[in-house]
Amino acid sequence: MYAFTHDTAPGRVVLGAGTAADLPREVERLGGTRVLVIATPGRADQADAATACLGAARVGLLAKAKMHVPIETAIEGRKEARRLNADCLVTVGGGSAIGLGKGVTIDLGVPLLCMVTTYSGSEMTDACGMLDGGRKVMHQSPHMRPKTVIYDPELTLGLPPSISGPSGMNAMAHCVSAICSVNPTPMKSLIALEGIRAMADALPRIAKDPSDINARGDALYGAWNCGIAAGLGARGIHHKLAHVLGGSFDLDHAETHTIMLPYSTAYNATAVPDAMTTIAKALGRSDNDAPGALFDLARSIGAFAALKDIGMPESGLDQAAAEMMENQYANAAPYDQPRIRALLENAFTGLRP
Ligand code: NAD
């Protein structure tokens, strides 16, 4: 007999090549008349071009989003949105732009529309980590769940393979965590498996040919599934690792996820053996070596394999293991500091799990 709590809010998703042109209609649908556009500095030109169709309804462009959403940036964004009397926020970019949009609207409650240009899946969740006093602090609010998401693969053609791959692996991590979670639900597991399958299929094709619009569209479809899985709630030890390493050591979010995913999966292997078989199958394997399959996928798309390659200091491993024991995210296998320290050591050198 089934027994679970399934908590999700519907969101409007518009997916397809050329759908960026639907922006004015979608903003109008949300009642937006004064739009503040949000992007990272690197995406300012793209954000400007993609939202020019809003005409006079676009009242500002805030190209100050940063990874991990420093709280000061969110406060500045709130001030700017108030100053402009914005009644709709449109992000153009990946998880960093979306995170700033969430950091603004958690306070203002104005609708958030996301034009997605990476595969992080952040656009489907009502949560956001923000960097506050050197630590990444999680926030959750129904206001932060985007009301509309536009997935136009044409907006992602410029995303280099070095960012595309880790971004997709970051999304996939939500699915792996969902399947390994302490509270899987049938729908969560189904969506998570579809997210893994779609992403594992698309990422090697993008690595081979970044201009493959079909692969880009398939990756956005995967990101949508992965994002729903994330929004259904399943952080586990994997996300705790990513938040400690990203928050305290300023490591790139997506690359950290990519490196840590095989190890965090291996950590849970004996606690959730069925999950290993299911995940390996979604990755096209006939064995139960889900950690090995994730490791191989990351290698096949040319991602970094070791924490030492993305700026983690070896001297920080003890601190990271200690921080892992604070404010634990529910996980199938219990938190054990020596075991986590060993996991971090292996990830530091990139040893196959
Ligand atoms: P990102 O948004 O930081 O983008 C990475 C880089 O790629 C940036 O420099 C950006 O300017 C550039 N870029 C983005 N789109 C591009 C394009 N189409 N062409 C060329 N360059 C492009 O990276 P991300 O991995 O999408 O997001 C990471 C952030 O998202 C982190 O802060 C993380 O915490 C957050 N996140 C949140 C959730 C959630 O559910 N709340 C989920 C996943 C990630």
Side-chain angles (χ1 to χ4, degrees), residues 4-26:
F4 53 76
T5 303
H6 184 88
D7 184 2
T8 177
R12 183 172 165 88
V13 171
V14 181
L15 190 151
T19 50
D22 295 347
L23 180 65
R25 195 180 67 205
E26 293 300 330

Side-chain angles (χ1 to χ4, degrees), residues 30-90:
L30 296 174
T33 57
R34 297 182 60 79
V35 176
L36 173 61
V37 177
I38 293 177
T40 53
R43 292 294 89 209
D45 289 349
Q46 185 180 24
D48 191 40
T51 59
C53 54
L54 290 173
R58 183 178 65 179
V59 295
L61 168 62
L62 182 69
K64 293 194 173 174
K66 285 188 192 147
M67 204 171 47
H68 304 308
V69 197
I71 191 75
E72 302 76 17
T73 319
I75 291 168
E76 188 184 342
R78 292 168 199 166
K79 278 189 192 147
E80 183 67 352
R82 281 202 186 92
R83 188 184 71 79
L84 294 168
N85 205 13
D87 59 9
C88 183
L89 304 175
V90 170

Side-chain angles (χ1 to χ4, degrees), residues 231-284:
L232 290 172
R235 298 211 299 265
I237 199 165
H238 175 77
H239 283 77
K240 180 70 188 171
L241 282 162
H243 288 170
V244 165
L245 294 168
S248 299
F249 300 94
D250 198 27
L251 304 186
D252 181 272
H253 183 81
E255 286 171 355
T256 307
H257 271 282
T258 307
I259 291 168
M260 297 314 292
L261 190 56
Y263 302 100
S264 59
T265 307
Y267 190 90
N268 280 326
T270 49
V272 281
D274 291 349
M276 296 300 119
T277 313
T278 319
I279 294 165
K281 195 171 165 200
L283 290 165

Side-chain angles (χ1 to χ4, degrees), residues 202-237:
L203 292 183
R205 287 158 57 211
I206 292 171
K208 199 167 150 208
D209 178 8
S211 68
D212 181 342
I213 189 98
N214 292 319
R216 294 288 190 177
D218 290 349
L220 284 175
Y221 165 74
W224 175 46
N225 282 272
C226 294
I228 297 174
L232 290 172
R235 298 211 299 265
I237 199 165

